[in-house]
Amino acid sequence: MVIFYCGNEVVTEADGRSGRGGALMDGMAPALEEARAALAEGEIPVGAALYRGEELVCSDHNRREQRHDPTAHAELLCLRRGGEILGDWRLRECTLYVTLEPCPMCAGALVMSRLGLCVFGAADPAYGCCGSVYDLPADPALRSRTRWRQDPGAEKECRALLESFFQGRRDDASGI
């Protein structure tokens, strides 16, 4: 059984992309590849992959340092490109896989794009707005809702990439 969250509502259904071999991890694979690319480029290793049904529409990773753009998060880049490819900003039939729980900016973009489902790997206790710090996609003050779920099968690998990046930053700062 697959459990989705939207505020206080818990939905148990097998829709979204969960039918892909019964494992949500399959959809996360391109997002993990993108996160590894971000790590190699010195970016915070967050990757995202946008699907419509079983079709991979696009994938990308954080590019804030490259572009000198505070909004160049993997999620926003995927939503933007996905809208261009699909010819519609409404992404109701889409699922976004992302290696880290979306921040307030990205969670807002999920809602504004009318995204059908967001699946994330690692929770973000500092900035996560799909349940950790706040549940922005389910805020009753907003007219739209985006369902989300954490993929426990991907959490360990997603977190390991982030820890590797930040350990490297700490080592650089201490001169090791």
Side-chain angles (χ1 to χ4, degrees):
M1 177 183 324
V2 179
I3 299 174
F4 301 100
Y5 300 92
C6 188
N8 292 329
E9 176 186 0
V10 177
V11 182
T12 56
E13 52 187 70
D15 65 351
R17 293 193 24 76
S18 61
R20 192 170 191 196
L24 286 165
M25 183 65 179
D26 291 341
M28 190 68 74
L32 282 162
E33 287 177 31
E34 291 286 352
R36 287 185 206 99
L39 182 63
E41 295 169 10
E43 296 277 358
I44 295 176
V46 177
L50 183 70
Y51 286 84
R52 182 171 62 181
E54 296 291 316
E55 174 192 5
L56 176 62
V57 175
C58 61
S59 62
D60 212 330
H61 57 272
N62 278 7
R63 296 179 186 275
R64 292 188 316 169
E65 301 301 328
Q66 277 178 26
R67 294 185 180 182
H68 309 286
D69 178 357
T71 69
H73 288 204
E75 301 95 322
L76 292 184
L77 297 172
C78 265
L79 294 174
R80 197 173 289 133
R81 183 72 182 125
E84 291 170 0
I85 290 169
L86 298 172
D88 193 351
W89 61 268
R90 294 169 200 87
L91 302 174
R92 287 184 186 100
E93 304 298 319
C94 295
T95 299
L96 182 71
Y97 285 82
V98 61
T99 57
L100 180 65
E101 180 180 2
C103 71
M105 175 178 66
C106 294
L110 302 179
V111 173
M112 296 307 293
S113 70
R114 313 295 195 266
L115 184 73
L117 175 64
C118 176
V119 178
F120 63 88
D124 184 351
Y127 295 103
C129 280
C130 286
S132 289
V133 174
Y134 182 61
D135 191 355
L136 193 148
D139 189 316
L142 303 176
R143 292 181 61 179
S144 297
R145 306 276 187 288
T146 294
R147 294 177 309 142
W148 59 267
R149 88 175 298 293
Q150 184 175 10
D151 180 354
E155 182 177 15
K156 185 176 180 180
E157 188 171 358
C158 294
R159 181 147 323 279
L161 286 167
L162 291 161
E163 288 171 354
S164 171
F165 174 81
F166 287 109
Q167 183 60 50
R169 299 278 293 231
R170 284 189 292 274
D171 291 348
D172 289 348
S174 67
I176 295 176

